[in-house]
Amino acid sequence: MAAKKTVLTVLTSVGLLAATACTSSSDRSDGTPAKERLTTTTARGTAEVGRVTWALPYGEPTTLDPAKVGDYSPQTVESNLCDTLTRMNADFSLSPGLAEKVTWKDDHTLVLDLRSGVTFWDGSAMTPADVVYSLERQRDPRTQALYGNYLAAVSSVKASGAHQVTLRTKGYDQTLPKALSTSFGAVSQKTYTEKAGAAYGTAKGGLMCTGPFKLASWKSGGGITLERNSAYWDTALTPKAKRVDFKFITDNNSLTSALLSGEVDGTYELPPGSATALARSDSGSVHLGPSTQNVLLIPGNAASPAADRKLLDALSLVVDRKALVKNVFGGAGTTLKSLVPPFTWHGDKAAAQYDAAYAALPDVPAPDLDKAKKLVAEAGAPSRPLVAAIPAGDQRSLQALTFIQAAAKKIGVDITIKQLQPTEMSALFYDPSVRKGLDLVLTFGYVSMPDPASYVAESVTPKGIFNWTGYSNAEVTRHLDEARTATDPVVSAKAYAKAQALYTPTTAAVYLATTYERMYMNKRISGAPSSFAYMGMPWAAYLGGTGK
């Protein structure tokens, strides 16, 4: 590779789609498909707003500590509080964040040139020591961080100048600069975080970051309030909303009523039923955006009969995915061939190679009842109903799993639906004890950065945090390692393609769909990104009033 490579020049791409408003969540009566109406952002709000109220349909966050957030609610809030070293854009490309330049000096040296003049909410300057601390604390087992594996190839993180931090690595790792755009790359104040200890990121311990909003209050069971950071370093993104109130509304009917009445101004992850009701109202608009979300049916543990790939293939063959997308997701999505949705690599220089490899995968299977029954006979029909988990109160998940339940019954497989409280559902992804007794989990997962190889590695390599069934394929692991360490984006894409061709038909998962992002905003505000990239960017800072 060249002696120097400024990574963000390589990663940043042009905007994906123009900003327009959508008024329905499914294909329109005039025949316009939902896919043709996808947008990445909405028109920037121009006026100041005293308060914006936003719903969290997945419930109260379990934590706001950047090292621990790994679910919809916490990331929706935290992304507005704690800036990252590189920044996600609405089209899933990257641009400079707290680091104004990220450069590989050689294959073992990644240099972060930090912005000067950045302050925390208390007015103190952000220093290299804060950056080093924020990254290094994720190695500490006491932190219980979710993203420490991104430091696996990093031998040291040290301050190397008044506004510079240098990471020494065992080798080139193209994932690192991308990971810096996720909560892994968020910077917290060292002194505050050390003092808060285990309470950091909780309602009691609070936070100290550099983002466009600061945490004003958090009442457990009540709500979370953010206040504008008027001294925000990025003056082009100083919020127009003085205050953002988050409400925990997990019941779909209650959410619909709150949005229709104007009690709540907006929400991401709008349920299909709510979208239908809101589309008939003139209170605001429903917007559809591209997404990296994947809907999967996966075994909860290796001991379950559901971990048998033949049984999963049988379930795959009786689920009519097109009907699922149309009837359950309101047409706001498409079928999925593998673990990673194509939008993930849209901004990559090797997008064409990724697209070609995805297109070469076998087509999504059409329902085949006879073949499915034969597979069940070969695997052995389960002697008891399979217990499948979804979050309580989520009508979309309930409808999807009920759809799958009815299909499975046709081949003699009984499924019992278990609804878990939001905090328990969130915990099961990281705590094996919560998954005991669960045969299947219907997941609405997502890829959090434009790097398919690192996401897949968490599910199909031996130490992957989401590899719940012990899947292991040495060739897959090798190709994913090649994808991670290749200096040429095309070489990386081709290595990933080889891994994808191997793990797709063999890992324990039923690939169901990739849903579009569905977001609603009251007509009095505008500016929020409409793509799923909102999860990794300070989306609320884009909000402003419309004068309506």
Side-chain angles (χ1 to χ4, degrees), residues 60-76:
E60 184 171 4
T62 53
T63 180
L64 293 177
D65 182 345
K68 299 178 183 179
V69 297
D71 202 359
Y72 288 90
S73 290
Q75 286 196 241
T76 302

mmCIF file of all heavy atoms in Angstrom, residues 60-76:
data_model
loop_
_atom_site.group_PDB
_atom_site.id
_atom_site.type_symbol
_atom_site.label_atom_id
_atom_site.label_comp_id
_atom_site.label_asym_id
_atom_site.label_seq_id
_atom_site.Cartn_x
_atom_site.Cartn_y
_atom_site.Cartn_z
ATOM 1 N N GLU A 60 -37.350 1.772 27.329
ATOM 2 C CA GLU A 60 -36.310 2.519 28.027
ATOM 3 C C GLU A 60 -34.943 1.901 27.787
ATOM 4 O O GLU A 60 -34.771 0.682 27.846
ATOM 5 C CB GLU A 60 -36.610 2.546 29.522
ATOM 6 C CG GLU A 60 -35.633 3.376 30.337
ATOM 7 C CD GLU A 60 -36.085 3.559 31.772
ATOM 8 O OE1 GLU A 60 -37.135 2.976 32.156
ATOM 9 O OE2 GLU A 60 -35.399 4.285 32.523
ATOM 10 N N PRO A 61 -33.924 2.725 27.526
ATOM 11 C CA PRO A 61 -32.569 2.196 27.375
ATOM 12 C C PRO A 61 -32.082 1.524 28.660
ATOM 13 O O PRO A 61 -32.444 1.941 29.770
ATOM 14 C CB PRO A 61 -31.726 3.445 27.078
ATOM 15 C CG PRO A 61 -32.690 4.447 26.550
ATOM 16 C CD PRO A 61 -33.977 4.175 27.284
ATOM 17 N N THR A 62 -31.278 0.501 28.508
ATOM 18 C CA THR A 62 -30.662 -0.144 29.669
ATOM 19 C C THR A 62 -29.429 0.625 30.120
ATOM 20 O O THR A 62 -29.042 0.564 31.284
ATOM 21 C CB THR A 62 -30.265 -1.585 29.331
ATOM 22 O OG1 THR A 62 -29.460 -1.585 28.139
ATOM 23 C CG2 THR A 62 -31.502 -2.452 29.079
ATOM 24 N N THR A 63 -28.798 1.359 29.204
ATOM 25 C CA THR A 63 -27.611 2.161 29.503
ATOM 26 C C THR A 63 -27.410 3.164 28.379
ATOM 27 O O THR A 63 -27.901 2.964 27.269
ATOM 28 C CB THR A 63 -26.354 1.289 29.632
ATOM 29 O OG1 THR A 63 -25.215 2.118 29.931
ATOM 30 C CG2 THR A 63 -26.061 0.544 28.342
ATOM 31 N N LEU A 64 -26.688 4.239 28.673
ATOM 32 C CA LEU A 64 -26.261 5.184 27.643
ATOM 33 C C LEU A 64 -24.736 5.246 27.560
ATOM 34 O O LEU A 64 -24.184 6.094 26.851
ATOM 35 C CB LEU A 64 -26.828 6.578 27.922
ATOM 36 C CG LEU A 64 -28.358 6.705 27.801
ATOM 37 C CD1 LEU A 64 -28.806 8.113 28.174
ATOM 38 C CD2 LEU A 64 -28.842 6.352 26.392
ATOM 39 N N ASP A 65 -24.060 4.370 28.272
ATOM 40 C CA ASP A 65 -22.606 4.282 28.199
ATOM 41 C C ASP A 65 -22.232 3.852 26.776
ATOM 42 O O ASP A 65 -22.626 2.775 26.329
ATOM 43 C CB ASP A 65 -22.105 3.239 29.208
ATOM 44 C CG ASP A 65 -20.592 3.110 29.230
ATOM 45 O OD1 ASP A 65 -19.911 3.593 28.295
ATOM 46 O OD2 ASP A 65 -20.078 2.481 30.177
ATOM 47 N N PRO A 66 -21.479 4.678 26.029
ATOM 48 C CA PRO A 66 -21.150 4.332 24.643
ATOM 49 C C PRO A 66 -20.497 2.961 24.495
ATOM 50 O O PRO A 66 -20.673 2.302 23.463
ATOM 51 C CB PRO A 66 -20.178 5.440 24.228
ATOM 52 C CG PRO A 66 -20.474 6.564 25.128
ATOM 53 C CD PRO A 66 -20.900 5.962 26.436
ATOM 54 N N ALA A 67 -19.769 2.527 25.494
ATOM 55 C CA ALA A 67 -19.090 1.231 25.412
ATOM 56 C C ALA A 67 -20.062 0.062 25.524
ATOM 57 O O ALA A 67 -19.704 -1.072 25.211
ATOM 58 C CB ALA A 67 -18.027 1.119 26.503
ATOM 59 N N LYS A 68 -21.300 0.346 25.948
ATOM 60 C CA LYS A 68 -22.245 -0.737 26.222
ATOM 61 C C LYS A 68 -23.523 -0.674 25.394
ATOM 62 O O LYS A 68 -24.303 -1.622 25.422
ATOM 63 C CB LYS A 68 -22.628 -0.716 27.712
ATOM 64 C CG LYS A 68 -21.458 -0.910 28.664
ATOM 65 C CD LYS A 68 -21.931 -0.822 30.111
ATOM 66 C CE LYS A 68 -20.779 -0.931 31.092
ATOM 67 N NZ LYS A 68 -21.231 -0.830 32.504
ATOM 68 N N VAL A 69 -23.765 0.431 24.691
ATOM 69 C CA VAL A 69 -25.016 0.523 23.942
ATOM 70 C C VAL A 69 -24.942 -0.401 22.728
ATOM 71 O O VAL A 69 -23.969 -0.393 21.984
ATOM 72 C CB VAL A 69 -25.336 1.964 23.494
ATOM 73 C CG1 VAL A 69 -25.539 2.858 24.695
ATOM 74 C CG2 VAL A 69 -24.259 2.536 22.587
ATOM 75 N N GLY A 70 -25.981 -1.195 22.547
ATOM 76 C CA GLY A 70 -25.994 -2.128 21.432
ATOM 77 C C GLY A 70 -27.403 -2.502 21.033
ATOM 78 O O GLY A 70 -27.659 -3.628 20.607
ATOM 79 N N ASP A 71 -28.332 -1.555 21.147
ATOM 80 C CA ASP A 71 -29.721 -1.832 20.815
ATOM 81 C C ASP A 71 -30.382 -0.527 20.373
ATOM 82 O O ASP A 71 -29.808 0.555 20.515
ATOM 83 C CB ASP A 71 -30.435 -2.431 22.023
ATOM 84 C CG ASP A 71 -31.675 -3.223 21.646
ATOM 85 O OD1 ASP A 71 -31.995 -3.283 20.452
ATOM 86 O OD2 ASP A 71 -32.323 -3.765 22.554
ATOM 87 N N TYR A 72 -31.600 -0.643 19.857
ATOM 88 C CA TYR A 72 -32.273 0.500 19.238
ATOM 89 C C TYR A 72 -32.415 1.700 20.175
ATOM 90 O O TYR A 72 -31.980 2.806 19.848
ATOM 91 C CB TYR A 72 -33.665 0.075 18.741
ATOM 92 C CG TYR A 72 -33.626 -0.805 17.518
ATOM 93 C CD1 TYR A 72 -33.554 -2.190 17.631
ATOM 94 C CD2 TYR A 72 -33.658 -0.254 16.241
ATOM 95 C CE1 TYR A 72 -33.517 -3.002 16.500
ATOM 96 C CE2 TYR A 72 -33.629 -1.052 15.108
ATOM 97 C CZ TYR A 72 -33.559 -2.430 15.240
ATOM 98 O OH TYR A 72 -33.523 -3.232 14.129
ATOM 99 N N SER A 73 -33.061 1.509 21.316
ATOM 100 C CA SER A 73 -33.334 2.654 22.193
ATOM 101 C C SER A 73 -32.071 3.360 22.668
ATOM 102 O O SER A 73 -31.953 4.586 22.535
ATOM 103 C CB SER A 73 -34.184 2.211 23.390
ATOM 104 O OG SER A 73 -35.494 1.902 22.984
ATOM 105 N N PRO A 74 -31.094 2.631 23.239
ATOM 106 C CA PRO A 74 -29.910 3.347 23.723
ATOM 107 C C PRO A 74 -29.139 4.058 22.620
ATOM 108 O O PRO A 74 -28.655 5.173 22.822
ATOM 109 C CB PRO A 74 -29.073 2.243 24.389
ATOM 110 C CG PRO A 74 -29.638 0.953 23.926
ATOM 111 C CD PRO A 74 -31.061 1.206 23.610
ATOM 112 N N GLN A 75 -29.041 3.448 21.443
ATOM 113 C CA GLN A 75 -28.288 4.098 20.374
ATOM 114 C C GLN A 75 -29.030 5.308 19.806
ATOM 115 O O GLN A 75 -28.410 6.291 19.395
ATOM 116 C CB GLN A 75 -27.959 3.094 19.267
ATOM 117 C CG GLN A 75 -26.860 2.130 19.686
ATOM 118 C CD GLN A 75 -26.241 1.375 18.523
ATOM 119 O OE1 GLN A 75 -26.307 0.161 18.481
ATOM 120 N NE2 GLN A 75 -25.641 2.070 17.603
ATOM 121 N N THR A 76 -30.358 5.251 19.779
ATOM 122 C CA THR A 76 -31.140 6.384 19.295
ATOM 123 C C THR A 76 -30.887 7.626 20.140
ATOM 124 O O THR A 76 -30.807 8.750 19.629
ATOM 125 C CB THR A 76 -32.642 6.046 19.318
ATOM 126 O OG1 THR A 76 -32.885 4.892 18.510
ATOM 127 C CG2 THR A 76 -33.487 7.199 18.805
#
